[in-house]
Amino acid sequence: MKAYLLYEAGGPDKLVLGGTKRPALQSGEVLVKVKAISINPADAIYRNSPAFIAHIFGQEWPVILGWDIAGEVVEKAENTAGFEVGDAVFALLQKARGYAEFVAVNTELLANKPNNITFEEAAAAPMAGLTAWQPLVHGMTIKTGNQIFIHGASGGVGHYAVQIAKYLGAQVIATSSAKNRNFVLSLGADKHIDYQTENFWEVMSDVDFVFDTIGGETLEHSIDVIKSGGTIISIIPMTDERLKAKAQEKNVNLSLWGLQVNGDDLRAFADLMAKGILKSYLTKTYPFAEMAAAHTQIETRRTVGKIALIV
């Protein structure tokens, strides 16, 4: 099968399209013929970091990156009840290996692709979608009418977060650049703030929740606008202990949320996609041969919604 092989960490040019063996199935796994994959900022971070690659693969080289896939089941092992050959599925992979024509996936991680979405839209959802879903659904106690402030609302994670927050009944205030204002409002945001021209901490106060995808000064100023007893969840690692002390002094719950690979969450997300409540917005779709271009785009950190590749 064809796959993108990474022989050493580095830039997008280090991803080499070559041939390798199809994965052998173990109990509980199905073989998925990949129809589409999506690229996340994490893909580029791992590609460029020997330490991160070693964390997943040990001393194995070359490696195959890629966490988000959608495709069709073409073979199954034992203990795979609930999925049959021919099923359209998508998944967030536990240990990458998604940049390939075929991938072995444990059925615990699989979700059926809703009939009303494309393979590209399905592939776009797992990592970014669950990165938004888990903090908002499991980490917050959002009730109808609560205000939530979402940073980076036009990005991959942010655009799902706006939709999830509206589904949960929240009043959504969201930031992006002015050029993405209409897009963010179309997702369901009730108010938009242009982070390039407005200081949000000067025009906001007493929000119930903050979902942070930016970190740094944005996170620090978020503490200024949240009410006592409110909750801030960031997906950006925090190294400044001063922020934790500031949050504690104001009686604000501040925490970091790391993505957990969870098939139950993905299937819940898929159910809302099937109902048209959640949607993947693709700003661009690339052919499989243009992997380097897709990585170059995601590294700009200016991607609106998601990007996907057709395999």
Side-chain angles (χ1 to χ4, degrees), residues 3-284:
Y4 275 94
L5 306 174
L6 188 68
Y7 290 88
E8 60 179 328
D13 61 306
K14 298 300 182 182
L15 293 162
V16 179
L17 185 59
T20 189
K21 293 181 179 179
R22 287 191 188 186
L25 294 181
Q26 299 181 4
S27 177
E29 292 183 337
V30 298
L31 186 68
V32 176
K33 179 175 175 56
V34 179
K35 301 280 190 178
I37 61 178
S38 76
I39 310 298
N40 300 282
D43 295 45
I45 292 171
Y46 273 80
R47 185 208 68 229
N48 205 37
S49 171
F52 285 174
I53 292 171
H55 178 71
I56 296 179
F57 299 99
Q59 299 303 310
E60 176 187 341
W61 290 100
V63 301
I64 301 174
L65 299 180
W67 286 265
D68 286 345
I69 64 103
E72 182 179 311
V73 175
V74 294
E75 184 181 336
K76 53 183 291 186
E78 68 273 17
N79 299 319
T80 53
F83 293 92
E84 302 296 335
V85 171
D87 286 352
V89 296
F90 67 120
L92 173 61
L93 303 178
Q94 183 84 48
K95 295 184 178 180
R97 298 185 173 90
Y99 293 175
E101 290 183 305
F102 296 90
V103 62
V105 187
N106 191 291
T107 56
E108 292 183 359
L109 306 181
L110 277 181
N112 289 113
K113 181 187 78 66
N115 293 329
N116 60 320
I117 67 172
T118 66
F119 282 103
E120 299 95 282
E121 289 169 336
M127 180 175 283
L130 295 193
T131 298
W133 176 269
Q134 292 173 348
L136 268 64
V137 173
H138 302 311
M140 299 179 181
T141 55
I142 297 174
K143 298 178 181 178
T144 301
N146 284 160
Q147 280 193 330
I148 182 170
F149 188 27
I150 297 175
H151 293 294
S154 65
V157 174
H159 94 285
Y160 290 122
V162 172
Q163 297 175 73
I164 294 165
K166 289 303 296 182
Y167 163 71
L168 294 173
Q171 181 182 10
V172 178
I173 306 164
T175 66
S176 76
S177 63
K179 68 178 182 179
N180 294 322
R181 176 182 182 275
N182 289 341
F183 171 62
V184 169
L185 292 176
S186 76
L187 298 170
D190 298 284
K191 181 178 179 179
H192 174 267
I193 293 178
D194 174 10
Y195 74 92
Q196 294 176 324
T197 61
E198 297 180 82
N199 294 327
F200 67 83
W201 57 93
E202 295 177 349
V203 297
M204 290 178 53
S205 63
D206 290 335
V207 299
D208 299 289
F209 301 96
V210 175
F211 180 59
D212 169 53
T213 69
I214 308 297
E217 291 184 358
T218 296
L219 178 58
E220 179 172 3
H221 285 303
S222 294
I223 301 172
D224 298 327
V225 305
I226 196 164
K227 64 176 56 174
S228 175
T231 295
I232 301 174
I233 295 182
S234 179
I235 62 170
I236 305 299
M238 292 176 276
T239 57
D240 190 346
E241 293 296 323
R242 182 176 54 86
L243 295 183
K244 297 178 183 179
K246 180 178 179 179
Q248 186 174 19
E249 181 179 349
K250 193 176 178 181
N251 189 33
V252 169
N253 302 303
L254 172 62
S255 63
L256 170 68
W257 194 283
L259 173 65
Q260 301 295 316
V261 178
N262 186 302
D264 289 337
D265 282 342
L266 185 62
R267 288 183 284 273
F269 197 97
D271 181 61
L272 294 182
M273 295 184 84
K275 295 174 180 176
I277 296 171
L278 301 180
K279 180 177 174 59
S280 298
Y281 289 84
L282 296 169
T283 191
K284 187 164 184 176

